[in-house]
Amino acid sequence: MIVTTSSKDERLIEKALLFSEEYGMPYRVRGEKSLAYLYETEDPQVFVVNHSRGLSYYEEGKSEAFFHPNMAFHRLKNLRQGGTDMLAAVCGLEPGMTFLDGTLGLASDALTASCVVGEGGRVIGVEKSLPLYILVREGLKFYAEREPELRGVTARMELHHADNLDFLRTAEDGCCDVLYFDFMFQRPVSASFGIEVIRNYAAYDGITEDHIREAVRAAKQRVVVKTDREGHRTLAELGFDCLKETPHGDFCYMGYIK
């Protein structure tokens, strides 16, 4: 992986150099070089610091990936206007809780949870895909500077680049109130823009009995898993109950309540 800029702008170059130092990633002068040239001569994985999105990620043969808190904005606005959120409801989230998202993705659920748990709460996000982890971590900084309502929400979020099972194995008993998994479905049930942005770069691990055992140990109150029909049956056999199902049955939230 390398990092470069979208132009010769000195501000972008300065940011790219800081990025290079923080992540231990080589910086390459962009000049007039195309991405295709960089793929061929440098590396097929390229981060590009830019003005419009803060940071974009490219891999040869794949589409651009970037972070934008699109759906989270709508969910946060709805909550602040007194509305409800399905995730918050099925997880039983309340102010002051600690919420652990074991499949961070583009952080829409983690941002929503942070809004609900409030200043006294805490949100921990774990992401296995390094490109997505970096895009979200840097993207949250980028948008928090531009959207004041995001600053407090992002300040309570603690992000980790790790395999979620490895992370849980080192976690203390009862380290969170609620632990949540939303593994990528092999067969997509949503055509949302956010999902399409990350589909090429996401980790496609599935939930295992080891995940469940460690999650039940780590969570004080409940473990919640968003899953499809096949996962529904498997989790039911492991003691999970259906907390909420979509009207068309595309997916449901399964919960283990302690």
Side-chain angles (χ1 to χ4, degrees):
M1 291 180 177
I2 62 171
V3 59
T4 187
T5 59
S6 59
S7 72
K8 300 176 184 178
D9 188 306
E10 290 295 330
R11 292 171 296 172
L12 295 181
I13 293 171
E14 182 179 354
K15 290 179 180 179
L17 289 170
L18 291 172
F19 179 96
S20 172
E21 182 178 356
E22 180 166 4
Y23 292 100
M25 197 175 298
Y27 165 71
R28 295 293 182 261
V29 177
R30 182 65 179 273
E32 304 300 327
K33 303 182 186 79
S34 66
L35 284 173
Y37 180 84
L38 291 174
Y39 293 151
E40 183 178 350
T41 62
E42 295 286 353
D43 196 292
Q45 298 174 288
V46 183
F47 283 96
V48 178
V49 178
N50 55 63
H51 286 302
S52 59
R53 292 169 177 149
L55 186 69
S56 294
Y57 176 73
Y58 299 86
E59 279 190 24
E60 187 173 12
K62 298 180 181 179
S63 57
E64 174 192 13
F66 56 90
F67 173 82
H68 190 286
N70 43 18
M71 285 304 299
F73 274 139
H74 298 293
R75 294 170 71 179
L76 297 183
K77 181 178 180 180
N78 178 57
L79 285 168
R80 285 166 173 156
Q81 291 178 344
T84 59
D85 183 87
M86 187 182 297
L87 173 77
V90 298
C91 289
L93 292 180
E94 297 178 359
M97 280 186 169
T98 295
F99 175 84
L100 197 162
D101 186 343
T103 48
L104 182 67
L106 287 177
S108 180
D109 291 323
L111 284 164
T112 302
S114 182
C115 180
V116 176
V117 301
E119 292 183 6
R122 180 183 176 208
V123 172
I124 304 165
V126 181
E127 176 54 51
K128 183 176 182 178
S129 166
L130 181 58
L132 290 186
Y133 165 76
I134 293 175
L135 285 173
V136 171
R137 186 168 183 263
E138 296 302 312
L140 289 173
K141 296 177 189 176
F142 180 80
Y143 284 99
E145 291 177 356
R146 289 155 180 77
E147 305 290 343
E149 66 270 24
L150 276 182
R151 290 173 192 162
V153 176
T154 59
R156 317 185 257 282
M157 295 173 64
E158 173 188 316
L159 307 187
H160 298 268
H161 170 236
D163 176 272
N164 47 30
L165 183 55
D166 290 342
F167 184 87
L168 287 176
R169 282 173 172 155
T170 63
E172 296 181 358
D173 293 358
C175 67
C176 61
D177 295 292
V178 178
L179 200 151
Y180 176 68
F181 290 121
D182 179 10
F183 288 92
M184 290 288 290
F185 295 164
Q186 296 294 333
R187 296 180 180 179
V189 298
S190 170
S192 73
F193 179 69
I195 293 296
E196 292 307 314
V197 164
I198 69 171
R199 188 163 293 284
N200 285 328
Y201 307 105
Y204 280 84
D205 297 347
I207 196 165
T208 66
E209 290 189 30
D210 286 341
H211 283 94
I212 300 302
R213 182 176 59 254
E214 295 295 338
V216 170
R217 179 186 62 78
K220 294 177 185 175
Q221 297 190 20
R222 67 178 69 186
V223 178
V224 177
V225 183
K226 183 179 178 182
T227 186
D228 56 14
R229 293 173 182 172
E230 183 176 349
H232 182 158
R233 292 192 295 270
T234 301
L235 289 166
E237 293 172 359
L238 295 172
F240 280 66
D241 296 315
C242 182
L243 303 177
K244 182 73 176 180
E245 186 173 6
T246 58
H248 300 293
D250 295 328
F251 66 86
C252 64
Y253 292 95
M254 300 291 288
Y256 185 99
I257 301 176
K258 301 175 78 170

